[in-house]
Amino acid sequence: MRLLVVEDDPDLNRQMVEALVEAGYAVDRAHDGEEGHFLGDTEPYDAVVLDIGLPKMDGLSVLEAWRREGRKMPVLILTARDRWSDKVQGFDAGADDYVAKPFHMEEVLARIRALLRRSAGHAASELTCGPVMLDTRSGRVTVNGRQVKLTSHEHRLLAYLLHHVGRVVSRTELVEHLYDQDFDRDSNTIEVFVGRLRKKLDVDVIQTVRGLGYLLVAPEAPRADSSRAETPR
């Protein structure tokens, strides 16, 4: 999942990005409101961590502009303002959650996980597809109870597909959501990661839908139209 951190304090920005990257996310960063607004308006983020007190353009104005422009990604607001009226103002501007500084990084990570689950229609912290299960709290992946070790890119790929079970996800969408803006993007690498992931999972849950992308379905679910789907090798 790809996130954006908009925070003007350089140390806090760095700490947030490092914690999120270590948690398995692809992360872009901005240090002022104008840059943050531009990135959020032009890139497909799964969630945003947004400070309110930003230079050039304050966080609430950034958020209001995103919502007017139809940007629907979940937004977690960070701020030193902890009055209830400030919280109300943030929610009315379009925030999905709110954390007051100072905060514990684990709380921010937990809130982001919850936002990502809810935005994809999941209530539980475990994402499943047939025998495949991902615990979003620990990052642990199991197949029929057996733990499977994945690389960071394989883990991101599986997490994104599990958040969108039953929907065809294009290669372009995967590239946009699995890599930060500085990554040398190549859609061909997605095929490599899908192949590795299929081998490690060793269950038939990832379908290739010809010309469209990939579909994650439980093995017992009906197969996609044979005229449009390839049998994974």
Side-chain angles (χ1 to χ4, degrees):
M1 313 293 279
R2 187 179 174 197
L3 309 181
L4 172 64
V5 173
V6 189
E7 167 62 58
D8 63 316
D9 182 294
D11 290 332
L12 182 55
N13 190 306
R14 175 182 53 79
Q15 292 168 11
M16 289 281 306
V17 170
E18 288 177 352
L20 291 168
V21 169
E22 187 171 342
Y25 301 105
V27 187
D28 293 333
R29 71 182 78 192
H31 294 88
D32 62 67
E34 287 185 356
E35 182 185 17
H37 171 261
F38 174 77
L39 288 174
D41 194 41
T42 57
E43 297 290 337
Y45 295 107
D46 296 292
V48 177
V49 180
L50 176 67
D51 185 29
I52 286 184
L54 295 169
K56 298 186 179 181
M57 185 178 184
D58 70 86
L60 290 182
S61 297
V62 171
L63 180 54
E64 289 172 341
W66 283 340
R67 296 316 190 209
R68 285 196 305 270
E69 292 151 3
R71 303 297 290 169
K72 299 179 180 180
M73 66 279 194
V75 174
L76 172 67
I77 283 183
L78 299 179
T79 181
R81 310 171 191 173
D82 60 357
R83 295 177 303 177
W84 68 266
S85 57
D86 292 322
K87 296 179 181 180
V88 170
Q89 190 177 11
F91 284 123
D92 284 345
D96 297 274
D97 205 351
Y98 197 111
V99 175
K101 301 175 183 178
F103 53 81
H104 292 285
M105 198 66 71
E106 285 301 321
E107 179 184 0
V108 173
L109 293 173
R111 289 179 180 273
I112 289 173
R113 291 194 298 268
L115 288 177
L116 291 171
R117 290 197 307 269
R118 289 200 297 268
S119 68
H122 300 282
S125 59
E126 293 86 9
L127 304 178
T128 63
C129 180
V132 179
M133 191 272 286
L134 167 62
D135 187 330
T136 59
R137 296 165 299 184
S138 64
R140 188 169 182 263
V141 175
T142 58
V143 177
N144 290 318
R146 170 183 60 87
Q147 185 170 359
V148 178
K149 293 185 178 181
L150 304 177
T151 66
S152 61
H153 284 94
E154 292 164 355
H155 193 281
R156 288 180 190 174
L157 173 61
L158 178 62
Y160 194 83
L161 291 175
L162 281 169
H163 275 88
H164 300 89
V165 171
R167 177 171 75 80
V168 177
V169 179
S170 70
R171 291 178 178 84
T172 299
E173 180 179 345
L174 288 171
V175 169
E176 290 177 338
H177 287 264
L178 298 187
Y179 305 132
D180 60 59
Q181 62 180 158
D182 296 327
F183 192 88
D184 184 14
R185 302 177 183 182
D186 181 356
S187 62
N188 292 330
T189 62
I190 294 296
E191 297 181 14
V192 175
F193 290 133
V194 168
R196 293 177 182 174
L197 189 56
R198 282 171 171 155
K199 289 181 180 179
K200 290 186 177 182
L201 297 178
D202 197 28
V203 288
D204 187 16
V205 294
I206 304 176
Q207 293 186 33
T208 299
V209 183
R210 186 178 301 138
L212 296 177
Y214 300 100
L215 175 66
L216 197 68
V217 291
E220 65 273 18
R223 299 287 294 183
D225 187 337
S226 59
S227 65
R228 304 179 67 183
E230 301 174 19
T231 301
R233 295 181 180 181

